[in-house]
Amino acid sequence: MQRNRRSFLKATGASLGSIGLLGATASTAAASVHDRWEPADSSNYTNASRTASDMRWLVIHTIEGSYEGCISWFQNPDANVSSHYVVGNQSNQITKMVRLEDIAWTQGNWEYNETGVSIELEGYANETDFNDTIYQQAAEVARHVCDTYGIPTQHPTYDLAPCSAYSGEGGIIGHNQVPDPNDCSQVTGGKYDPGNTWDWDYFMSLVNDGSGGGGGGWSDGDIVHCTADLNTRERPNLDSSVVATMPTGSNAEIVNGPTDEDGYTWWGLHWLDYDIWGWSVEAYLDAGYA
């Protein structure tokens, strides 16, 4: 098989799935990013012992109200709702309300609650002109969560996430992308937050420290390695077969790409340690030999 970006068609490959999340646990979490700890009422979330292998999604919401009002509501035993973090539009307004190991009740879809971490933004969907402070603070939280639990720092651009929260590649999505558990062709509860005034491109550039994530400028012949156990697929899309799972630290040569499909950036790779060819998502690739 010729190793060039035009003729590379097939591989024995893999995707980043739950296997790629197995290393980190709550005990390996980085230093806290929150300014306040104001626990939600115990009747508004589920006690759990989640680890990185359970978490796949970070979901962005808008409060449809004020920062302090949201905190108060999550502490009301009649609310029956909660989020892990509440982020305001002024400095030092990051409040943690549910332990990341526990399950917040906020996505409107139980599987996405089980596999998700949620951030509430002060403001209103389609109305609020979000300031730079809230972008910076939300990005700080997102980096912390994704680094700690192996959630890909990519924003899938599909309209709706997969029917099953366990089948998707994972990433950072809006509440408007969570499917209804009873009809996955529709958004859960008709939600549309964070809305069209939320600048996803700017936010994701901050999450990725301005780099846009992954390799960006890679080209044929460059060497990369995977930073977590990583699947490679026969084709650069989520419907393609997963043929192998490359262990953390596996080295590969870029032979094709990048290709954007299903909301992800894909690279065609020759996995040098195993002589395997496939397409993998950029989020868990880094430059150079491991």
Side-chain angles (χ1 to χ4, degrees):
M1 182 182 298
Q2 293 182 342
R3 292 179 295 170
N4 62 72
R5 69 176 64 228
R6 300 304 170 205
S7 64
F8 179 77
L9 295 176
K10 187 174 180 179
T12 73
S15 97
L16 46 136
S18 59
I19 295 177
L21 306 179
L22 288 177
T25 65
S27 63
T28 64
S32 171
V33 295
H34 58 271
D35 301 303
R36 294 163 54 186
W37 165 243
E38 297 282 351
D41 189 85
S42 60
S43 66
N44 294 332
Y45 64 89
T46 299
N47 285 310
S49 299
R50 299 191 301 171
T51 66
S53 61
D54 303 306
M55 301 186 196
R56 303 172 70 83
W57 307 95
L58 178 64
V59 185
I60 306 297
H61 303 252
T62 49
I63 293 168
E64 304 305 305
S66 71
Y67 171 73
E68 294 292 348
C70 182
I71 294 169
S72 177
W73 180 236
F74 289 165
Q75 292 180 321
N76 185 329
D78 295 327
N80 293 317
V81 67
S82 61
S83 274
H84 293 93
Y85 291 95
V86 180
V87 178
N89 58 25
Q90 298 180 39
S91 296
N92 304 314
Q93 287 189 337
I94 301 175
T95 293
K96 186 176 182 180
M97 301 202 67
V98 177
R99 295 187 317 137
L100 295 178
E101 296 86 349
D102 294 334
I103 300 170
W105 301 348
T106 186
Q107 325 294 19
N109 180 317
W110 182 250
E111 284 193 5
Y112 280 85
N113 282 342
E114 282 188 318
T115 59
V117 174
S118 49
I119 299 175
E120 296 280 349
L121 307 173
E122 181 171 23
Y124 298 85
N126 297 341
E127 295 181 24
T128 296
D129 183 14
F130 297 99
N131 63 22
D132 198 58
T133 297
I134 200 168
Y135 278 110
Q136 295 282 351
Q137 292 185 149
E140 183 181 5
V141 173
R143 282 194 303 272
H144 167 68
V145 171
C146 292
D147 288 349
T148 302
Y149 294 101
I151 297 173
T153 55
Q154 292 199 28
H155 170 54
T157 56
Y158 39 55
D159 290 339
L160 287 172
C163 248
S164 171
Y166 303 99
S167 65
E169 300 293 306
I172 303 173
I173 60 176
H175 196 185
N176 63 306
Q177 292 174 281
V178 177
D180 189 302
N182 300 310
D183 181 359
C184 59
S185 68
Q186 300 183 36
V187 65
T188 181
K191 300 295 185 180
Y192 51 87
D193 54 314
N196 56 27
T197 59
W198 180 250
D199 188 337
W200 277 106
D201 289 340
Y202 178 56
F203 174 64
M204 292 307 301
S205 75
L206 295 175
V207 172
N208 288 297
D209 293 318
S211 68
W218 294 330
S219 58
D220 289 357
D222 286 349
I223 301 299
V224 297
H225 65 274
C226 55
T227 59
D229 287 8
L230 182 62
N231 294 333
T232 287
R233 296 180 184 267
E234 290 188 351
R235 299 285 188 274
N237 61 70
L238 298 179
D239 294 328
S240 184
S241 298
V242 173
V243 185
T245 301
M246 313 315 301
T248 301
S250 298
N251 299 304
E253 178 186 358
I254 298 286
V255 295
N256 204 340
T259 295
D260 293 325
E261 190 67 37
D262 294 334
Y264 295 93
T265 299
W266 302 78
W267 292 91
L269 301 168
H270 176 210
W271 294 95
L272 302 173
D273 303 327
Y274 303 91
D275 197 23
I276 285 175
W277 303 73
W279 290 90
S280 293
V281 171
E282 184 182 81
Y284 287 151
L285 297 174
D286 203 356
Y289 286 98

